[in-house]
Amino acid sequence: ELECVPKEYIFPMEYRPQNLDSPVCDSIPVIDLAKSKAANGHNSQPVEEILKASQEFGFFQVINHGMAEKTVTDAINVLKEFFDMQAKNTTGTVPHTKGYIYTNSTDFAKDGVHLWRENLKHACHPLEECVRLWPDTPTRYQEVIAAYIIEIQKLSSRILEMICEGLGLKQGYFKDTSEVQLLSSNLYPPCPDPSLTLGILAHYDPSLLTILYQGGSTGLQVMKDGQWVNVGANPNAFVVNIGNQLEIISNRKLKSVKHRVVNNTHETRRSIATFVNPSPDCIIEPAKHLVNELEPSLYPASQYKDYVLRNKAFGDYTAAIQNALR
Ligand code: AKG
């Protein structure tokens, strides 16, 4: 007998994913960050590939990114332990604790329908102040995730430098003003009928840059020319996408693109999304260098913290950050 999806997880028709059986389209570029350095020391090939992918898709994957495999597997394993513990916790969900938010069945998405996922979110910046407010069981959680965040900060700085080079912005444009502010980790259990449910609704990231680890699992889809494109699974890669802030700074040379997660029938998807955001006091506007008579500024200037206040998408991110710093 077929297991069925509880009705509180079934989305109205217009939200349900279509064409789930269409072949995985692997067109999101996979960029090798270790590829040949030119004689002048510039890593020109990956820079060009990153720019092109960010213009065309708003998404790319990076391999040979330099992060130790152990840092990643430790993070995935400690998050797995965390979610396993929650599953055994008979008191149910822990929606708004001091420094983190764990949601399971309370995770409403649209018109009261639940997302088919569990999620853990917490602030990460300033790291030393946030760490002690993270889950303290599993006992290694704080140590392992802090090590992961430090490496993500390094990787994000490196990618932002390459983007600077590609856009012709001065080196160090984002130095000391971009922060890994939020971690959001997901567990998507296998779903008896993924055509009825969603792991995450279609959304844009309000970040500067998002760096995602998705292991070897599929489910992430990116909107391209009106079609949902699957992001291929590559356990050695990080998925990187351009957020709204970088779209603004680049005066829409780079695209922030809609994405969502569909569920799988047999596979459990685990992901770790880290959101690299501007410091709260930064003024976000198209870089002067990219604005001229032919290409006028497409966005007004706004202090990042005001953008956050105005933007509903930030609802629980902001709460998580404020709680952590309280
Ligand atoms: C998000 O957390 O905003 C995502 O879109 C990532 C979800 C995932 O790939 O699991």
Side-chain angles (χ1 to χ4, degrees):
E1 199 185 319
L2 254 177
E3 247 187 294
C4 62
V5 174
K7 70 173 186 323
E8 60 271 28
Y9 291 90
I10 300 179
F11 275 94
M13 209 56 108
E14 64 267 32
Y15 290 101
R16 291 185 201 166
Q18 310 284 328
N19 310 323
L20 281 177
D21 298 328
S22 61
V24 171
C25 171
D26 252 338
S27 51
I28 302 293
V30 177
I31 300 173
D32 183 349
L33 291 187
K35 213 148 65 181
S36 63
K37 279 205 170 47
N40 61 9
H42 288 287
N43 222 351
S44 59
Q45 248 175 314
V47 167
E48 281 156 27
E49 289 174 28
I50 285 176
L51 252 276
K52 189 160 185 285
S54 303
Q55 286 161 348
E56 278 179 28
F57 293 93
F59 269 77
F60 54 91
Q61 303 205 48
V62 293
I63 53 168
N64 292 321
H65 41 68
M67 193 183 308
E69 199 179 314
K70 186 172 184 309
T71 309
V72 183
T73 50
D74 280 358
I76 281 287
N77 287 336
V78 86
L79 281 159
K80 181 172 184 305
E81 279 177 57
F82 175 86
F83 284 113
D84 285 349
M85 268 173 34
Q86 296 301 327
K88 292 195 197 85
N89 179 354
T90 49
T91 60
T93 58
V94 188
H96 288 276
T97 51
K98 212 169 156 209
Y100 61 92
I101 299 172
Y102 166 75
T103 47
N104 179 358
S105 56
T106 56
D107 200 356
F108 286 107
K110 197 84 199 164
D111 304 329
V113 180
H114 300 292
L115 296 175
W116 191 272
R117 69 157 186 185
E118 292 172 50
N119 177 262
L120 170 67
K121 271 191 188 71
H122 57 63
C124 301
H125 188 89
L127 189 58
E128 320 74 62
E129 288 174 44
C130 292
V131 167
R132 64 194 162 83
L133 302 170
W134 293 351
D136 53 8
T137 46
T139 49
R140 291 185 64 228
Y141 186 93
Q142 297 178 354
E143 176 195 336
V144 163
I145 297 301
Y148 182 78
I149 295 297
I150 288 169
E151 291 303 310
I152 291 287
Q153 177 77 57
K154 286 186 204 158
L155 178 61
S156 69
S157 299
R158 189 170 160 212
I159 293 170
L160 284 170
E161 276 297 282
M162 294 167 93
I163 288 175
C164 271
E165 187 181 333
L167 288 173
L169 301 176
K170 66 176 193 309
Q171 290 297 291
Y173 192 89
F174 299 101
K175 194 173 181 294
D176 304 325
T177 60
S178 64
E179 303 165 351
V180 182
Q181 288 179 359
L182 183 82
L183 173 142
S184 174
S185 179
N186 300 292
L187 160 63
Y188 307 89
C191 176
D193 188 350
S195 73
L196 304 175
T197 64
L198 278 170
I200 295 190
L201 284 170
H203 67 282
Y204 298 91
D205 285 354
S207 59
L208 194 57
L209 200 69
T210 303
I211 301 191
L212 175 88
Y213 185 72
Q214 60 167 2
S217 60
T218 56
L220 179 61
Q221 297 188 323
V222 174
M223 181 59 88
K224 165 81 173 148
D225 302 330
Q227 304 282 335
W228 288 107
V229 172
N230 292 324
V231 177
N234 184 337
N236 299 317
F238 285 97
V239 178
V240 181
N241 66 287
I242 304 299
N244 294 348
Q245 309 311 312
L246 203 44
E247 177 175 295
I248 296 172
I249 293 167
S250 71
N251 207 24
R252 215 180 286 159
K253 290 210 160 35
L254 312 183
K255 307 276 184 327
S256 175
V257 167
K258 215 192 263 186
H259 51 287
R260 69 177 185 185
V261 172
V262 296
N263 296 113
N264 295 309
T265 321
H266 297 296
E267 206 189 315
T268 298
R269 174 180 173 85
R270 293 174 189 277
S271 67
I272 314 174
T274 36
F275 297 94
V276 183
N277 296 339
S279 316
D281 292 333
C282 279
I283 307 283
I284 301 300
E285 62 186 332
K288 298 277 185 283
H289 177 87
L290 301 175
V291 173
N292 54 48
E293 257 171 47
L294 291 176
E295 294 172 290
S297 169
L298 298 170
Y299 306 88
S302 170
Q303 209 169 21
Y304 180 64
K305 61 182 173 210
D306 293 333
Y307 181 98
V308 171
L309 285 177
R310 283 199 311 274
N311 201 309
K312 279 204 181 58
F314 274 103
D316 48 357
Y317 300 0
T318 316
I321 289 170
Q322 285 167 352
N323 280 334
L325 297 178
R326 198 160 282 152

